[in-house]
DNA sequence: GCCATTACGCTACGAGCCGTAGCGAAAGCG
DNA sequence: CGCTTTCGCTACGGCTCGTAGCGTAATGGC
């Protein structure tokens, strides 16, 4: 069977359990040691494998950490909460929860920094982490357009550019808040951010901007869409 | 006289020229080698000083790179272009120009990553890099409020939270665009981003969002303030 | 069951960088 | 001229990296 599904070449197959153990050990090491003090020898010991096994599967520290961190983003979902605002808040809160974990904080920025000088690494990050997030933006936007909350776009290229822009704004804001400003992207912050994103600077400020007093938008439409 | 101005304790004073040479050498090494392959021995050789001199002035690689990169942000200015939109575009373009330089790309994210596990380093980054940027947001917002483009805010604490939010959105978006998406934050992107920030998702999309056809805001006010 | 093939654990190794210690010389101050 | 601090230089132990080599384990083909 294996000969058909994945052309299993003869020989001893790689241990899938070892893969999982290594990635879990990498995350544990990231939590305890952080990026700079993480060594492959330490990861190997934690995972119960030999150091040479690590080098047979990953080119180095960068690639290993990318794969270890990428698994954290598997849990990202796009819940249908009934309105664009509520959908944004939901997915942003999930994203913020992942970035609040120490293994993501210390690992993600480090590999992004490394990727500025390594095109292959940048591509690996894009495929296993970034694109998965961007897909949520695209689908959420389509959903909002189907609801009539956002106008449709005829030009496909323009639609892609817009999705890229929105993605950079959303992901960038959460990352900057969490890692640079080093303050939590909690529910109140997400509410205020969502209002700013939907209404813009002038209009959002005019509605009080507080979230507590401004859950409903100025056009009378329920901004959170709990009951329609 | 120095005994009064800066209590210059007796002994040979530190060479200011060495400081400048070391920081310049650090930036040069960042360009050629990137963060991970940058060694203090290499920086010392480039600067024409001994390695021990580096350790007498900086605790390690992290602190050195923070200071070297911080100088890049000295050139940030807040030009008065006549309108909030034009001011935002101007300062964002300056920020993008700095982030386009390789010494900023490879150095900035790396020290931010390190700062997730080092509170002292995080404070150093905040003081010498982040706060300088944030001040531009605060002043630009005050200017827009004086112009009547944005409503004033009575609560000082709420005003500070709003400034923080705007700052995270602006800086985060540019950083994410430049370093994660790895695409240039050029004039067209900045135009579209500014429109999104000012008008919000729904309204900005409704105006076409393109920039080329949307240089003027929907309220008829020239969004770029070039010739009126 | 036997063999070719691949993965694995283990050890050892040179190379490079880190951060520090110690020394003599240089450059300021009074 | 003494005192103090900085500087250049050398040397060092300790650590990590990435690889090589070897014997063993596990699988598929025959």
């Amino acid at each position: 069977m294996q000969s058909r599904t994945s052309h299993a070449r003869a020989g001893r197959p790689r241990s899938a359990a070892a893969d999982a153990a290594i990635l879990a050990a990498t995350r544990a090491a990231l939590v305890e040691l952080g990026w700079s003090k993480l060594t492959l020898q330490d990861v190997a010991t934690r995972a119960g494998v030999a150091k040479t096994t690590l080098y047979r599967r990953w080119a180095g520290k960068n690639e290993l950490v990318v794969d270890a961190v990428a698994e954290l983003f598997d849990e990202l979902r796009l819940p249908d909460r009934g309105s664009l605002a509520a959908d944004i808040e939901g997915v942003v809160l999930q994203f913020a929860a992942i970035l609040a974990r120490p293994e993501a904080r210390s690992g993600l920025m480090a590999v992004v920094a490394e990727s500025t000088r390594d095109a292959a690494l940048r591509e690996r990050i894009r495929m296993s982490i970034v694109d998965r997030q961007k897909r949520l933006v695209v689908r959420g936007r389509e959903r909002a357009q189907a609801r009539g909350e956002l106008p449709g776009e005829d030009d496909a290229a323009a639609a892609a550019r817009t999705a890229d822009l929105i993605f950079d704004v959303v992901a960038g804001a959460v990352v900057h808040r969490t890692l640079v400003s080093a303050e939590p992207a909690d529910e109140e912050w997400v509410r205020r951010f969502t209002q700013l994103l939907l209404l813009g600077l002038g209009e959002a400020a005019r509605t009080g901007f507080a979230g507590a007093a401004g859950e409903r938008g100025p056009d009378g439409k329920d901004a959170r869409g709990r009951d329609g």
Side-chain angles (χ1 to χ4, degrees), chain A:
Chain A
M1 185 60 93
Q2 288 100 335
S3 58
R4 267 185 289 172
T5 54
S6 61
H7 58 81
R9 307 175 315 234
R12 177 177 177 174
R14 287 192 171 174
S15 163
D19 259 18
I22 291 172
L23 293 177
T26 303
R27 287 188 290 270
L30 277 176
V31 172
E32 291 183 25
L33 306 173
W35 162 268
S36 57
K37 301 195 176 186
L38 179 150
T39 70
L40 294 193
Q41 178 60 71
D42 185 85
V43 171
T45 305
R46 288 170 189 260
V49 301
K51 189 177 65 165
T52 46
T53 298
L54 284 183
Y55 282 100
R56 289 192 186 100
R57 305 191 182 198
W58 285 276
K61 194 168 158 177
N62 293 333
E63 290 76 9
L64 173 62
V65 170
V66 168
D67 288 3
V69 171
E71 286 191 340
L72 295 176
F73 292 90
D74 284 346
E75 58 190 56
L76 268 181
R77 294 289 182 274
L78 179 62
D80 194 335
R81 295 202 188 180
S83 77
L84 175 58
D87 284 358
I88 293 176
E89 290 183 8
V91 77
V92 166
L93 275 176
Q94 286 182 65
F95 189 50
I98 295 176
L99 286 185
R101 301 172 68 172
E103 60 268 38
R105 303 168 70 95
S106 51
L108 191 57
M109 281 295 95
V111 293
V112 168
E114 289 301 306
S115 77
T116 61
R117 307 205 98 247
D118 184 339
L121 184 63
R122 190 162 55 238
E123 186 64 13
R124 195 187 191 99
I125 294 175
R126 195 184 63 76
M127 295 224 306
S128 60
I129 298 181
V130 177
D131 274 1
R132 209 172 308 180
Q133 302 166 8
K134 191 181 289 186
R135 230 167 274 140
L136 298 184
V137 171
V138 173
R139 288 191 47 209
R141 193 148 161 275
E142 292 170 350
R143 198 181 281 174
Q145 289 173 338
R147 287 200 197 99
E149 294 180 286
L150 288 181
E153 216 153 350
D154 20 320
D155 187 357
R161 280 206 310 274
T162 301
D164 287 348
L165 173 61
I166 296 171
F167 173 61
D168 282 327
V169 170
V170 173
V174 178
V175 168
H176 200 276
R177 165 81 175 180
T178 306
L179 300 185
V180 179
S181 298
E183 285 172 30
D186 52 17
E187 288 199 18
E188 194 212 333
W189 184 88
V190 171
R191 218 159 27 224
R192 291 157 45 82
F193 167 70
T194 303
Q195 202 165 8
L196 173 60
L197 180 65
L198 287 177
L199 302 179
L201 251 184
E203 200 60 34
R206 219 164 282 132
T207 65
F209 217 128
E215 287 193 15
R216 285 174 187 277
D219 51 356
K221 194 162 43 180
D222 189 327
R224 309 194 64 205
R226 183 75 41 96
D227 47 13

